[in-house]
Amino acid sequence: MSVQKSTDPKTDEQARPSRRTPLIAAAVAVVAALAVTAVVGLGGGDDKATGSGNGAVTEVSADGNSTKAATVLDRPFTKPDLVLTDTKGQKFDLRERTKGKPTLIYFGYTHCPDVCPLTMSNIAIAKKQLPKADQDKLQVVFVTTDPERDTSAELAKWLPAAGDPTFTGLTGDFSTIQAGARQIGIGIDPPKKSKDGTVVSMHGAQVIAFSPTTDQGYVLYGEDTTIDDYAKDLPKIIKGENP
C-alpha cells in the first residue's frame, strides 16, 4: 500500500513519503525463494495501514528472475464489475467497453505528487514505442481513488498531461470504486483531511494487466516498474502472452 499525501494545489509539488505495498514486498521475497509458490495478501492485509482489512488473496509464481518487473499470477483476477463515469461525463461499463482488449488498470488520484503521474507517464512513453496498430489496441484505464476532487473534467485535464489523451479516466461513487479495487486485490481508503489541511490518500500502487484473449488479470506491476520494463512487456501483453 503506497502512502501518498496531497495538499492544496499550491503545495502539491512538495515531496511526499511513500512505501512499497505489502504485496510487492512479499512478491520480492517469493522471487528470492527461487520458484516457490506462496500465498500473498493483496491490498489491505494490514488493518492499521489500510483500514480495509479484507483484501483478496492470490498465489504468486516466481521464476527466480529477481530483475523481472512483471509478477505473473497463478490465479488471474476477473475484471472488476465497474460502471463509472468517464472524462466526457458518460457512463462507462468497464467489462463491456474493454472486452477482448489488452487492458492496464490502475487506481490513483490526480493530486498525487509522485507515484501516480510517474506511472501514467511511464506507460504512455512505453506505449508510443509500439507499432501504431498495437497502440490502438492497448487500453489504459485510470480509476480515481479521490472522486470528490477528481471529477470528469479534472480527469480530462490531468490525464493528457500526466499520461496520454487516449487513456480512459473514470470517477464515481467512492464505495463503488473501493469495491471494484478489492475485486482485483487492491486496497484503497477514503482520502482523509488532517488538521493542517493536508489530504492523505492511501491506495495500492499496482498496475494489473488483463489479457485480450481471456479478459483475466494475469500480470501485476509495482510502482518501481520502469519505461523499459513496460516497453519490453507490452507487445506480449497485447498478444495475451506472459511477459
Side-chain angles (χ1 to χ4, degrees):
M1 179 70 64
S2 280
V3 180
Q4 301 176 357
K5 297 183 180 180
S6 173
T7 63
D8 292 335
K10 293 182 180 180
T11 57
D12 271 351
E13 62 266 24
Q14 296 177 1
R16 306 297 182 205
S18 65
R19 60 187 177 86
R20 307 181 69 157
T21 64
L23 181 142
I24 299 302
V28 171
V30 174
V31 171
L34 299 178
V36 176
T37 299
V39 177
V40 182
L42 292 174
D46 181 351
D47 289 351
K48 293 181 180 179
T50 70
S52 302
N54 60 348
V57 175
T58 190
E59 292 179 358
V60 178
S61 282
D63 60 3
N65 183 0
S66 61
T67 64
K68 192 174 181 180
T71 299
V72 179
L73 306 177
D74 286 343
R75 290 188 291 161
F77 289 114
T78 298
K79 194 171 290 180
D81 185 12
L82 276 174
V83 179
L84 297 170
T85 304
D86 65 16
T87 54
K88 297 179 181 179
Q90 302 297 314
K91 183 177 76 171
F92 190 97
D93 186 321
L94 180 64
R95 285 184 178 175
E96 180 181 327
R97 296 285 290 274
T98 62
K99 185 177 181 180
K101 300 177 181 179
T103 304
L104 305 181
I105 297 178
Y106 180 79
F107 288 80
Y109 65 114
T110 66
H111 288 74
C112 171
D114 41 40
V115 177
C116 299
L118 178 61
T119 299
M120 291 297 99
S121 176
N122 286 350
I123 293 173
I125 294 172
K127 178 187 173 185
K128 290 178 181 177
Q129 299 179 32
L130 295 168
K132 183 60 167 60
D134 284 348
Q135 290 187 42
D136 293 341
K137 293 175 184 177
L138 183 65
Q139 306 294 301
V140 180
V141 180
F142 180 93
V143 185
T144 182
T145 60
D146 184 12
E148 183 174 339
R149 292 186 292 176
D150 286 347
T151 61
S152 293
E154 184 67 21
L155 288 169
K157 179 176 65 176
W158 183 83
L159 273 175
D164 187 290
T166 66
F167 288 1
T168 298
L170 299 178
T171 188
D173 178 72
F174 178 81
S175 61
T176 300
I177 293 170
Q178 185 181 51
R182 285 175 177 168
Q183 290 175 35
I184 55 173
I186 296 175
I188 63 175
D189 285 346
K192 297 179 181 178
K193 191 171 185 177
S194 60
K195 293 182 179 179
D196 64 0
T198 300
V199 177
V200 181
S201 182
M202 298 178 65
H203 65 86
Q206 304 95 334
V207 173
I208 308 293
F210 288 79
S211 169
T213 58
T214 65
D215 279 321
Q216 297 288 301
Y218 66 111
V219 181
L220 178 148
Y221 293 96
E223 64 186 64
D224 294 329
T225 305
T226 67
I227 295 170
D228 289 342
D229 292 329
Y230 284 119
K232 181 178 66 175
D233 289 359
L234 285 180
K236 293 181 179 180
I237 296 291
I238 290 168
K239 295 177 182 177
E241 300 174 353
N242 287 348

